[in-house]
């Protein structure tokens, strides 16, 4: 495997993926601490806060979207981006407060707690801007920020929730401190870029083209509005608690996206399609077992979070499959966007941008999420007064969540086949799929017969962890023995890790 010049896709992907594996553990520990110490209503409020805050973040892509593209092409807009981020913090806070007040008054969420979470808005904005700067020059540095965030939030949440009994406010404070730590790490790695001069040309360009990144962010805004829609229509945050708990287990496969973190800037830098082929195979190698892992450990995972969420274990299956498809779709979309060059031409007009892939992708995504939110809101409006069970409503929710993703997956795969000349090793891909089903299916059967469900997390979690390690090691050993590409991958991983970072 060749050693890449400039942005090293394999190295940055390995660092990102390795750190994301650590974040899986720390993330689960964080959620366990929160769910074990908060009631369903309180945990639902925490999930609602994460849904509301996306409305405040809708402004930041005006800056962060262009930063990555410009830095990856050798430009130096970092200092200008920090100044611009400080300017947009005020309107972002105002947006959050308006949405928070309306949502809290229409549901049973605690208004004071939701308003207190406004402290997360500025730290999230600066963290995203610094992440965008690093993504353009050294993608693995963004993962160092994630690692710092994950490692700090565990002792912080233990302090505020477990010892001080601060409740949801403790989770907010812990997240805020973790973001501040991440900001320090990201600023350190971006220090050379931050020594650049303020250039009003960049600011004027971002203002002139504000509509494109804002439009591109609308799908995410719609997507994460589901918790707000559910809370307002049902008038309760308990369903959000069940959904958030299931999602924390089902979204493990989402961490595979970190392996391709260097793909987007590398395509911006070189426009070579072969990087996509290699990253797709690596995605399947890790995404198949993580999806199988989430499904196999759905029941013990939900019990570990809190026994009250055990009934929501079947929801993990729908969310896991949806997350797998979404992970694949996002990689393919980013590959298409990485080949677009419309923004390199300073004479490009509004019409040129509208015709470009930079506009086409968010339009497609907006349609997809618009259908998702529209169908969800319609069914909840019709069924909520007639359904007494909150679990039934959440079931409808996750089924819609998956169903909307399937047509998009079919379409994007067909589109990529037309846009790229790819040679995918389907034989290896099916080996990974069968190995995942076989190993984790067997692990699930053994676990079902031998795992004892104890209420004490200190007794229960080590047993679950042991079965998890058995499944993961079994998959790695099996694929190493039956697949030549896996042997090459392991060798490439070793080679990349021993090469000094340039």
């Amino acid at each position: 495997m060749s050693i890449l010049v400039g942005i090293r896709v394999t190295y940055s992907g390995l660092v990102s993926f390795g750190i994301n594996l650590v974040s899986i553990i720390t993330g689960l520990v964080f959620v366990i601490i929160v769910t074990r110490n908060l009631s369903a209503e309180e945990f639902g409020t925490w999930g609602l806060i994460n849904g509301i805050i996306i409305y405040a973040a809708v402004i930041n892509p005006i800056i962060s979207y262009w930063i990555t593209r410009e830095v990856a092409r050798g430009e130096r807009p970092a200092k200008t981006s920090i100044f611009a981020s400080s300017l947009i913090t005020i309107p972002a806070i105002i947006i959050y407060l308006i949405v928070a007040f309306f949502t809290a008054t229409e549901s049973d969420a605690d208004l004071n707690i939701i308003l207190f979470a406004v402290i997360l808005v500025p730290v999230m904005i600066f963290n995203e801007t610094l992440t965008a700067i690093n993504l353009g020059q050294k993608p693995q540095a963004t993962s160092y920020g994630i690692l710092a965030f994950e490692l700090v939030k565990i002792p912080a949440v233990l302090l505020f929730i477990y010892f001080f009994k601060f409740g949801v406010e403790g989770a907010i404070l812990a997240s805020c401190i973790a973001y501040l730590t991440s900001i320090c790490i990201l600023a350190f790695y971006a220090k050379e870029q931050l020594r650049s001069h303020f250039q009003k040309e960049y600011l004027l360009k971002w203002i002139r083209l504000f509509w494109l990144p804002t439009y591109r962010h609308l799908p995410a805004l719609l997507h994460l509005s589901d918790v707000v829609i559910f809370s307002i229509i049902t008038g309760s945050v308990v369903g959000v608690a069940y959904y958030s708990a299931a999602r924390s287990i089902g979204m493990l496969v989402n961490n595979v996206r970190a392996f391709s973190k260097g793909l987007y800037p590398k395509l911006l830098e070189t426009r070579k399609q072969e990087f996509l082929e290699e990253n797709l195979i690596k995605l399947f190698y890790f995404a198949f077992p993580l999806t199988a892992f989430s499904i196999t450990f759905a029941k013990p995972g939900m019990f570990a979070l809190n026994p009250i969420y055990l009934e929501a274990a079947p929801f993990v299956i729908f969310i896991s499959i949806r997350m797998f498809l979404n992970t694949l779709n996002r990689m393919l979309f980013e590959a298409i966007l990485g080949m677009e060059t419309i923004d390199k031409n300073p004479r490009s007009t509004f019409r040129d941008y509208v015709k470009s892939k930079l506009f086409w992708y968010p339009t497609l995504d907006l349609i997809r999420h618009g259908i998702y939110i529209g169908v969800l809101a319609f069914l909840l409006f019709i069924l909520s007064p007639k359904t007494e069970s909150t679990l039934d409503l959440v079931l409808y929710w996750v089924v819609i969540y998956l169903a909307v993703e399937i047509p998009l997956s079919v379409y994007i795969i067909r589109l990529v086949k037309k846009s790229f000349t790819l040679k995918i090793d389907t034989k290896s891909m099916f080996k990974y799929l069968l190995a995942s089903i076989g190993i984790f299916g067997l692990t699930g059967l053994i676990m079902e017969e031998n795992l004892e469900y104890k209420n004490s997390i200190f007794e229960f979690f080590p047993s679950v962890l042991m079965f998890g390690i058995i499944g993961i090691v079994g998959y790695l050993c099996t694929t190493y023995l039956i697949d030549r590409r896996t042997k090459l991958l392991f060798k490439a991983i070793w080679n990349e890790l021993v090469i000094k970072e340039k």
Side-chain angles (χ1 to χ4, degrees):
M1 182 174 290
S2 61
I3 300 172
L4 307 177
V5 179
I7 295 171
R8 292 164 59 192
V9 178
T10 301
Y11 179 79
S12 59
L14 282 170
V15 172
S16 299
F17 183 65
I19 290 176
N20 271 49
L21 288 179
V22 174
S23 74
I24 290 176
I25 298 174
T26 57
L28 287 176
V29 171
F30 179 86
V31 175
I32 289 172
I33 295 171
V34 171
T35 53
R36 286 272 172 162
N37 289 276
L38 301 183
S39 66
E41 290 77 10
E42 289 176 318
F43 185 56
T45 300
W46 173 243
L48 183 59
I49 288 171
N50 289 310
I52 295 174
I53 207 164
I54 190 66
Y55 290 91
V58 72
I59 302 178
N60 201 51
I62 295 173
I63 302 166
S64 60
Y65 177 75
W66 299 112
I67 290 297
T68 299
R69 300 181 70 87
E70 290 159 351
V71 171
R73 290 166 176 161
E75 302 176 43
R76 295 175 63 81
K79 182 166 288 187
T80 309
S81 70
I82 296 299
F83 172 76
S85 294
S86 63
L87 292 179
I88 67 173
T89 298
I90 295 175
I93 289 174
I94 294 173
I95 292 172
Y96 177 87
L97 292 175
I98 293 172
V99 178
F101 181 81
F102 174 75
T103 305
T105 54
E106 294 296 321
S107 66
D108 58 355
D110 190 316
L111 176 60
N112 292 327
I113 293 176
I114 293 182
L115 292 179
F116 177 68
V118 73
I119 65 173
L120 294 175
V121 173
V123 291
M124 286 185 66
I125 287 177
F126 281 105
N127 188 76
E128 184 178 341
T129 300
L130 288 166
T131 296
I133 294 170
N134 282 291
L135 183 60
Q137 62 169 356
K138 191 175 290 187
Q140 63 270 24
T142 64
S143 295
Y144 302 149
I146 294 174
L147 181 62
F149 178 89
E150 296 293 338
L151 293 180
V152 169
K153 76 178 183 181
I154 299 302
V157 78
L158 274 173
L159 178 66
F160 292 124
I161 290 185
Y162 187 77
F163 291 107
F164 290 168
K165 307 296 182 183
F166 280 2
V168 183
E169 293 95 330
I172 295 169
L173 287 172
S175 297
C176 185
I177 293 173
Y179 272 120
L180 289 172
T181 306
S182 174
I183 287 171
C184 292
I185 298 297
L186 292 171
F188 172 79
Y189 281 98
K191 60 182 182 295
E192 292 299 325
Q193 278 285 337
L194 293 174
R195 289 171 182 161
S196 60
H197 300 290
F198 174 82
Q199 301 176 65
K200 67 178 181 180
E201 292 79 11
Y202 286 118
L203 192 59
L204 292 174
K205 173 190 173 182
W206 300 335
I207 294 173
R208 178 170 61 89
L209 297 174
F210 81 94
W211 58 273
L212 184 58
T214 302
Y215 182 73
R216 185 176 182 267
H217 196 65
L218 287 178
L221 179 65
L222 274 177
H223 173 215
L224 294 176
S225 295
D226 52 3
V227 295
V228 175
I229 296 294
F230 188 94
S231 299
I232 291 175
I233 295 178
T234 64
S236 173
V237 293
V238 174
V240 175
Y242 283 112
Y243 172 78
S244 299
R247 193 170 184 271
S248 65
I249 304 296
M251 69 181 299
L252 295 183
V253 68
N254 196 47
N255 291 277
V256 177
R257 289 174 55 194
F259 205 98
S260 61
K261 186 165 286 188
L263 177 64
Y264 177 58
K266 191 65 183 180
L267 289 175
L268 286 170
E269 180 187 16
T270 66
R271 303 190 78 246
K272 293 182 179 180
Q273 299 183 17
E274 56 265 28
F275 294 115
L276 176 59
E277 295 178 5
E278 285 301 315
N279 273 263
L280 273 174
I281 289 296
K282 293 166 188 171
L283 179 142
F284 289 127
Y285 182 77
F286 292 105
F288 283 143
L290 277 179
T291 304
F293 182 97
S294 293
I295 295 173
T296 301
F297 287 84
K299 182 179 176 181
M302 296 296 281
F303 186 86
L305 296 182
N306 196 314
I308 65 174
Y309 300 120
L310 188 59
E311 292 180 294
F315 304 156
V316 176
I317 299 174
F318 295 96
I319 294 175
S320 298
I321 298 173
R322 192 269 178 187
M323 285 296 178
F324 171 82
L325 295 176
N326 181 257
T327 300
L328 174 62
N329 292 341
R330 285 188 175 276
M331 174 186 278
L332 297 178
F333 273 136
E334 287 183 357
I336 293 173
L337 294 180
M339 302 296 287
E340 180 59 72
T341 59
I342 186 68
D343 54 319
K344 292 183 69 174
N345 183 3
R347 297 182 179 179
S348 297
T349 65
F350 175 82
R351 180 174 294 182
D352 295 329
Y353 277 99
V354 170
K355 292 180 180 179
S356 73
K357 294 182 178 68
L358 298 184
F359 186 82
W360 163 84
Y361 162 53
T363 301
L364 183 64
D365 217 20
L366 186 62
I367 294 171
R368 184 254 305 242
H369 290 303
I371 294 172
Y372 165 56
I373 291 298
V375 173
L376 177 64
F378 176 76
L379 287 180
L380 287 176
F381 184 78
I382 298 297
L383 298 175
S384 181
K386 304 176 182 178
T387 305
E388 295 183 1
S389 172
T390 300
L391 285 172
D392 288 343
L393 293 175
V394 179
L395 176 61
Y396 304 143
W397 184 358
V398 296
V399 169
I400 297 169
Y401 191 55
L402 170 60
V404 174
E405 194 73 25
I406 295 174
L408 178 69
S409 301
V410 175
Y411 174 76
I412 189 61
I413 290 172
R414 292 180 62 183
L415 184 66
V416 168
K417 286 182 177 179
K418 294 180 181 179
S419 304
F420 294 86
T421 304
L422 299 177
K423 298 178 181 178
I424 304 298
D425 189 348
T426 54
K427 186 177 180 180
S428 290
M429 186 179 72
F430 280 107
K431 286 180 181 178
Y432 305 153
L433 176 61
L434 293 175
S436 299
I437 295 173
I439 296 298
F440 284 98
L442 181 61
T443 302
L445 292 174
I446 298 174
M447 183 171 60
E448 189 67 26
E449 293 293 327
N450 296 278
L451 182 63
E452 185 176 349
Y453 287 80
K454 298 179 180 179
N455 284 326
S456 172
I457 189 63
F458 300 104
E459 296 182 42
F460 180 69
F461 189 73
S463 300
V464 176
L465 184 62
M466 179 188 69
F467 284 107
I469 293 173
I470 291 173
I472 293 170
V473 172
Y475 173 80
L476 294 175
C477 292
T478 300
T479 51
Y480 184 85
L481 293 173
I482 66 174
D483 182 58
R484 182 182 64 86
R485 293 187 65 94
T486 302
K487 294 184 177 70
L488 295 176
L489 176 62
F490 278 34
K491 183 178 179 181
I493 290 174
W494 174 255
N495 290 337
E496 287 287 349
L497 292 177
V498 299
I499 295 173
K500 288 185 179 181
E501 187 176 348
K502 296 182 180 180

